[in-house]
């Protein structure tokens, strides 16, 4: 009785307790049931700080979460909350995934500062590495490798080794990501890590391989010999990798190819056409309906027609280019650009037209991406303008384009102008001149000048257009067009007389000082051919001298000097005009003008002997920046001349050499493209965009002079051994396949039989379609565990097999470490296995 | 390698910062803000959009993306493909849009824990990790009322008990175990017309940019094949990762396993042969006098298959010095506000019309047994369409 009483009593008290607990829990939990708004965590004052510690120690998940969220809010506000480290680490083994994730974020942020405390968390991670959920395993390794505490590098190493054999491709991906992190922690581990990488390179999951290649690029970028056996497989897998993996893979394959193949770019289709055709037909008849199998490909260059043209390309290189081609259709702009890079640096020049259209497509995206693409197009177009010349319309400027886009488009338009599109481009450029933006107008006019000098056939119509513009009401337009004309004329002395006569006619209407100065200079320079016009120009100039600008005055003086030098003192009018100008200049306000007058007077009329250094009055012409600077530099020159008078020692009579001094031929200005120099950088690199070497830039290796042994790839393909990675193609899928799917192309012999011959060498590479077939293999954790169990069994047997058949397969990939580890894994999976089997049984029943 | 990210508010304040590699001090943000204000002070008409996307500082290259008023700043120390950084930075607002429906300073602040988790998953030690929205949603649950209720009502996601996201199907873009009662898939074909038309009404350049926005609500692992009536029209195109490139190359069909939910299946470009294809004709005539100017703009319709043209908007930017302005319309209404520029911007919208003429033919489904409902909608609107006056 008493017992029953006591029992009832305890029962009721328990019930009360329980109900209270439940109530508490609900109250606790519902307190925060409003629609997700985390903003309130962001306002943190000192009181709240104290509360955080309490929260973290709370038994309620909710409060812990609150505390953690508050901490993360403070991290994001840039406050140092490392003092909470001990309180946070306590929660690392929390049952709640949400709590854990936040703890991880915190630990990753502060582990470096609190190294000792961070070690406390390691145990949990190690335990988690054996968790049956792949996400937890992956997360554990990620955080562990992310803790930047050098002491733990051996543990991280162990973790990586454990995870590279994981069944889940996601975990293996994370393991690959952990490799460079481990390397940074402890560079001494390099050799061991390299071993891991070389085994992981055999991984056939497209999900994982990109990250493995990333690790390769980070840890041992120079060990290209490891790539030999995998080269063709990588090419084949390229299209199915994830986008970021594709970028890494292309980078690597580009470097690899630059060291392994001879340069096809220089080689043209020099071979007799008949021979090429003959070969083509043979190839066609042989492999007419099978163009996807690589093993065939390696034996001969069967590929699409464009590539058959150049059979000087190594078949392996051609295969890479072919595999990369579809990626031009990727939605990821960097992938597109990477393929463009590949084609620019590897493919024969005649293939590069393929990259034009996709690159142009990128112009219709965000302005930042446009910026990079346009920079790269500039670089590509300056070497191979024909890639883009048919797309000129896409480079037309819209009024909504930002400044930097506008300028790049103008550069490109001038680069890709050809005889066939120049009329459209010129018309478009003339449209830009109407813009209200002065800088843009200036550049448009310069662009017209560039076009004219690039395409001599069009120079005439360009000049005509420029001449029209020089009458413009807008001073800057007029000035710029005269400057552009002047530059063009210097390059094409034949046209000058007519043009200059035209210009002088316009002189009365042109008011812009810079434009006038340029015309005066032109007349002076070509005065020998303008014997009727030139003196008249000087007359007009003398009349208006007082009202001219300084730069014009200087040029008028020079013009006078030149005319006198040309005709000697024979023509009285000219001489008188010149003296008049000199007198005007003598009392000018500007010392530069006075200086120039004094100098010219001495030069032309001076009988005294003066010292001569090299005098180049018109050295300004080498200047390509803009006209204003030119006149400045002329002044500068005048000073230099003065100095030269003082310091040089030679003495001679200058007036004897006056013609040579004043009327020497001036070198035509070199029209340097503003984008000049970009093409030396790798396509797509930051250095190219900024047009200077950025720290860490690595140029591409030069092509080898002698063909490296091409058989390394072929040989390796046959040797591609039943390494332990390959044994389990599809990771966990084999068993699943065997049970449920009986996939057609999986040979019943299991993994091994497939790798025996060369023909099957690449079958193992998982394609998208294969993915699909096996896509449901991990849909339930139960199944996963099943497969894990079975595979580990299978592994043991296959190990034995391998030992016996090692001689024929030639495998040497497996090493002792892995075996040890597999034992570990096997035991752990046994432990785990108990639970899931029960569950499966239950379900099956 | 992308080392750090700062998300800056329109005023240049740090909303969120994330370091994937080593810590980069916040000073760099001040330097960046200085550079931006310096660049914007250079001229009257320089806007934030004109600031260079890569700004060099003594130690870092400041790669920045400006979008919707927010700046995504990523300082890098070493050579890196800038395009990759831009591509990644643009993914961040894309994903936030997908998660929260909109992107703004407030939205980020309201969801900053989720944003933090997303950033953590998207990048690992400077290398992009998971950027597929479908995979991300497995790892970081999107905030919705159901999730909220589950977490608050005691069922906290205990590591052992909760049926963990088995996640990570073999296709990174599609989660496993999707189930719908009614299986439907919708395709929205939206074509934007880009054109530059000169003052005589002749098109200087003219092309249609189409996107196929898809909303997939299909169970299991459907393998779809979508074919077009006239695929040869397509001049150039890009695809979602799920599309098998080779199938397009060989058969001109889209063969793909769709991600779940919204995604952009394909973008394409069609070159339009001549201006006759343009659905709307704008003819400006401008008379400038001593005391002002008169703009007569005639808008006429052409070639729309009898479909109505909606939402026609003409923007005529005027110089800042404009003092008074009167505007009249024969149809519709006008608003007056002065601005600078010299081109007329045109906007319009035509429903159920595809200017290029691209038509969906058949959708076939493999790998699953149900019959899906297929919805196709087309729409044509003005993209970067301007008329030169």
């Amino acid at each position: 009785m008493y017992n029953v009483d006591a029992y009832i009593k305890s029962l009721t008290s328990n019930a009360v307790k329980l109900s209270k607990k439940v109530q508490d829990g609900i109250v606790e939990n519902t307190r925060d049931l409003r629609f997700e708004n985390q903003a309130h965590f962001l306002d943190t004052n000192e009181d709240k700080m104290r509360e955080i510690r309490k929260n973290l120690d709370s038994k309620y998940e909710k409060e812990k979460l609150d505390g953690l969220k508050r901490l993360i809010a403070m991290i994001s506000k840039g406050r140092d909350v490392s003092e909470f480290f001990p309180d946070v680490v306590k929660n690392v083994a929390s049952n709640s995934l949400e709590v854990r994730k936040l703890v991880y974020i915190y630990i990753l942020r502060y582990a470096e500062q609190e190294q000792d405390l961070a070690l406390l968390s390691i145990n949990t991670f190690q335990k988690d590495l054996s968790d049956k959920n792949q996400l937890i395993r992956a997360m554990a390794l990620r955080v562990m490798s992310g803790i930047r505490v050098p002491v733990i590098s051996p543990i991280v190493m162990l973790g990586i080794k454990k995870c590279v054999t994981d069944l889940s491709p996601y975990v293996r991906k994370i393991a690959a990501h952990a490799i460079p992190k481990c390397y940074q922690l402890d560079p001494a581990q390099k050799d061991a890590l390299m071993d891991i990488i070389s085994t992981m390179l055999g991984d056939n999951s497209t999900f994982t391989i990109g990250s493995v290649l990333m690790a390769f690029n980070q840890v041992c970028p120079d060990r290209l010999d490891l790539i030999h056996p995998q080269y063709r497989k990588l090419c084949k897998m390229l299209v199915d990798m994830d986008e970021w993996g594709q970028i890494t893979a292309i980078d690597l394959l580009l470097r690899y190819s630059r060291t392994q193949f001879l340069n096809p770019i220089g080689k043209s289709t020099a071979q007799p056409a008949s021979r090429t055709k003959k070969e083509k037909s043979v190839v066609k008849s042989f492999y007419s309906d099978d163009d996807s199998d690589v093993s065939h490909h390696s034996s001969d260059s069967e590929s699409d027609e464009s590539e058959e043209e150049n059979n000087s390309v190594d078949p392996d290189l051609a295969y890479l280019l072919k595999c990369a081609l579809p990626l031009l259709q990727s939605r990821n702009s960097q992938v597109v650009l990477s393929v463009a890079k590949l084609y620019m640096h590897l493919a024969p020049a005649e293939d590069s037209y393929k990259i034009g259209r996709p690159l142009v497509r990128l112009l219709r995206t965000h302005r930042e991406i446009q910026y990079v693409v346009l920079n790269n197009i500039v670089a590509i177009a300056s070497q191979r303008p024909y890639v883009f010349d048919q797309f000129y319309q896409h480079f037309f400027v819209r009024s909504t384009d930002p400044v930097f886009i506008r300028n790049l488009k103008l550069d490109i338009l001038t680069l890709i102008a050809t005889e066939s599109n120049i009329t459209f481009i010129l018309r478009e450029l003339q449209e830009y001149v109407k813009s209200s933006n002065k800088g843009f107008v200036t550049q448009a006019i310069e662009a017209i000048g560039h076009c004219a000098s690039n395409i001599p056939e069009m120079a005439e119509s360009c000049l005509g257009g420029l001449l029209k513009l020089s009458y413009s009401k807008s001073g800057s337009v007029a000035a710029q067009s005269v400057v552009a004309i002047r530059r063009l004329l210097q390059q094409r002395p034949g046209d000058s007389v007519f043009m200059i006569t035209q210009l002088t006619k316009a002189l009365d209407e042109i008011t812009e000082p810079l434009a006038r100065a340029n015309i005066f200079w032109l007349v002076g320079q070509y005065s020998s051919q303008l014997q009727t016009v030139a003196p008249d120009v000087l007359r007009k100039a003398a009349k208006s001298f007082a009202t001219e600008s300084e730069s014009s005055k200087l040029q008028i003086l020079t013009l006078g000097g030149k005319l006198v030098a040309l005709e000697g003192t024979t023509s009285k009018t000219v001489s008188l005009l010149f003296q008049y100008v000199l007198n005007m200049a003598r009392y000018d306000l500007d010392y530069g003008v006075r200086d120039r007058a004094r100098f010219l007077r001495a030069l032309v009329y001076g009988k005294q002997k003066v010292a001569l250094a090299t005098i180049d009055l018109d050295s300004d012409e080498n200047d390509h920046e803009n006209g204003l600077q030119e006149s400045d530099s002329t002044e500068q020159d005048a000073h230099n001349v003065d100095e030269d008078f003082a310091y040089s020692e030679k003495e001679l009579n200058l007036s004897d050499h006056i013609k040579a001094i004043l009327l020497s031929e001036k070198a035509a200005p070199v029209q340097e493209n503003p984008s000049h120099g970009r093409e030396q950088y790798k396509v797509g690199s930051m250095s190219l965009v900024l047009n200077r070497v950025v720290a860490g830039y690595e140029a591409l290796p030069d092509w080898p002079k002698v063909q490296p042994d091409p058989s390394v790839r072929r040989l390796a393909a046959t040797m591609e051994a039943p390494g332990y990675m390959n044994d389990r193609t599809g990771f966990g899928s084999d068993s699943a396949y065997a049970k449920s799917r009986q996939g057609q192309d999986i040979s019943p012999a299991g993994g091994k039989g497939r790798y025996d011959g060369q023909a099957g060498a690449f079958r193992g590479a998982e394609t998208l379609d294969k993915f699909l077939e096996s896509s449901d293999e991990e849909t339930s954790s139960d199944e996963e565990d099943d497969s894990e169990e079975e595979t580990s069994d299978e592994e043991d047997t296959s190990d034995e097999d391998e030992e016996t058949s090692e001689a024929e397969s030639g495998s040497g990939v497996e090493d002792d470490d892995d075996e040890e580890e597999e034992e570990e894994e096997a035991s752990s999976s046994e432990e785990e296995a108990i639970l899931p089997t029960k569950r499966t049984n239950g379900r099956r029943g | 390698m992308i080392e750090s990210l700062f998300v800056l508010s329109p005023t240049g304040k740090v909303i969120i910062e994330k370091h994937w590699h080593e810590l980069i001090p916040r000073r760099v943000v001040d330097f960046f803000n200085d550079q931006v204000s310096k660049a914007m002070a250079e001229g009257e008409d320089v806007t934030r959009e004109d600031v260079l996307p890569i700004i060099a500082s003594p130690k870092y290259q400041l790669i920045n993306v400006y979008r919707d008023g927010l700046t995504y700043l990523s300082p890098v120390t070493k050579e890196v493909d800038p395009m990759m950084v831009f591509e990644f930075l643009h993914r961040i607002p894309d994903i936030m849009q997908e998660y929260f429906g909109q992107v703004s300073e407030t939205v980020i602040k309201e969801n900053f824990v989720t944003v933090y988790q997303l950033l953590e998953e998207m990048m690992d030690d400077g290398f992009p990790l998971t950027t597929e929205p479908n995979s991300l949603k497995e790892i970081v649950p999107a905030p919705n009322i159901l999730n909220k209720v589950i977490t608050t009502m005691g069922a906290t996601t205990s590591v052992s008990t909760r049926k963990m996201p088995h996640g990570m199907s073999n296709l990174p873009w599609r989660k496993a175990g999707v189930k719908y009662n009614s299986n439907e898939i919708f395709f929205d074909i939206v074509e934007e017309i880009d054109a530059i038309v000169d003052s005589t009404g002749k098109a200087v350049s003219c092309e249609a940019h189409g996107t196929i926005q898809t909303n997939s609500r299909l169970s299991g692992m459907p393998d779809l094949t979508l074919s077009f009536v006239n695929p040869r029209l397509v001049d150039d195109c890009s695809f979602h990762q799920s599309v098998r490139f080779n199938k397009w190359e060989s058969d001109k069909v889209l063969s793909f396993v769709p991600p779940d939910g919204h995604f952009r299946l394909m973008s394409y470009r069609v070159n339009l042969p001549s201006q006759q294809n343009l659905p709307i004709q704008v003819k400006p005539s401008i008379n400038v006098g001593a005391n002002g100017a008169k703009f007569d703009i005639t808008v006429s319709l052409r070639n729309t298959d009898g479909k109505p043209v909606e939402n026609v908007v003409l923007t005529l930017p005027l110089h800042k010095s404009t003092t008074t302005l009167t505007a009249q319309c024969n149809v519709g209404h006008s608003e007056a506000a002065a601005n600078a520029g010299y081109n007329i911007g045109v906007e319009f919208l035509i429903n159920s019309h595809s200017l290029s003429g691209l038509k969906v033919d058949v959708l076939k489904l493999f790998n699953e047994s149900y019959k899906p409902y297929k919805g196709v909608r087309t729409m044509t609107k003005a993209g970067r369409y301007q008329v030169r006056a």
Side-chain angles (χ1 to χ4, degrees), chain A residues 333-352:
Chain A
S333 34
Q334 174 62 42
V335 174
V336 178
L337 192 61
S338 288
V339 179
K341 168 164 72 176
L342 202 68
Y343 267 78
M344 271 308 281
H345 296 306
L346 288 183
E350 60 266 26
D351 274 355
S352 49

Side-chain angles (χ1 to χ4, degrees), chain A residues 713-724:
Chain A
R713 285 179 292 280
R714 216 156 298 172
L715 239 166
T718 46
M719 290 217 332
E720 195 183 13
Y724 77 119

Side-chain angles (χ1 to χ4, degrees), chain B residues 189-326:
Chain B
I189 305 181
V190 181
E191 285 188 355
E192 294 191 359
I193 312 300
D194 281 12
I196 303 177
V197 181
D198 67 11
S199 48
T200 61
K202 227 182 105 198
V204 177
S205 83
C206 173
E207 58 196 13
H209 288 270
T211 56
I212 305 185
Q213 295 286 355
T214 310
N215 183 9
S216 154
R217 302 167 61 78
L218 300 175
S219 318
M221 275 287 166
D223 193 341
L224 301 174
T225 305
L226 183 71
S227 55
F228 296 99
V229 177
N230 39 11
R232 305 273 157 199
L233 277 176
V234 173
D235 188 43
D236 180 40
C237 49
S238 70
F239 302 114
H240 187 263
Q241 207 190 343
S242 59
V243 177
R244 296 181 180 94
F245 295 132
N246 294 330
K247 274 270 167 57
W248 174 261
E249 283 300 313
S250 56
D251 307 338
K252 295 282 172 198
V253 294
L254 295 178
S255 164
F256 59 102
V257 177
D260 193 40
H262 294 271
F263 67 102
R264 176 184 291 184
L265 178 64
M266 174 189 185
S267 315
Y268 61 89
R269 190 182 71 210
V270 177
N271 279 335
L272 300 176
S274 74
Q275 84 271 26
Q276 300 217 304
N277 271 314
L278 292 178
I280 195 165
Q281 168 104 15
V282 179
K283 269 202 175 151
S285 94
I286 298 176
N287 300 305
V288 185
N291 301 318
K294 193 179 173 203
F295 302 85
D296 271 323
I297 301 167
T298 320
V299 183
S300 48
L301 297 183
R302 310 158 130 204
N303 183 34
T304 58
D305 280 350
K307 304 271 166 44
V309 179
E310 298 165 48
N311 298 353
V312 179
V313 179
L314 296 184
T315 327
L316 175 60
L318 298 175
H319 197 262
K320 271 185 188 146
S321 55
T322 313
T323 49
T324 54
L325 194 59
T326 48

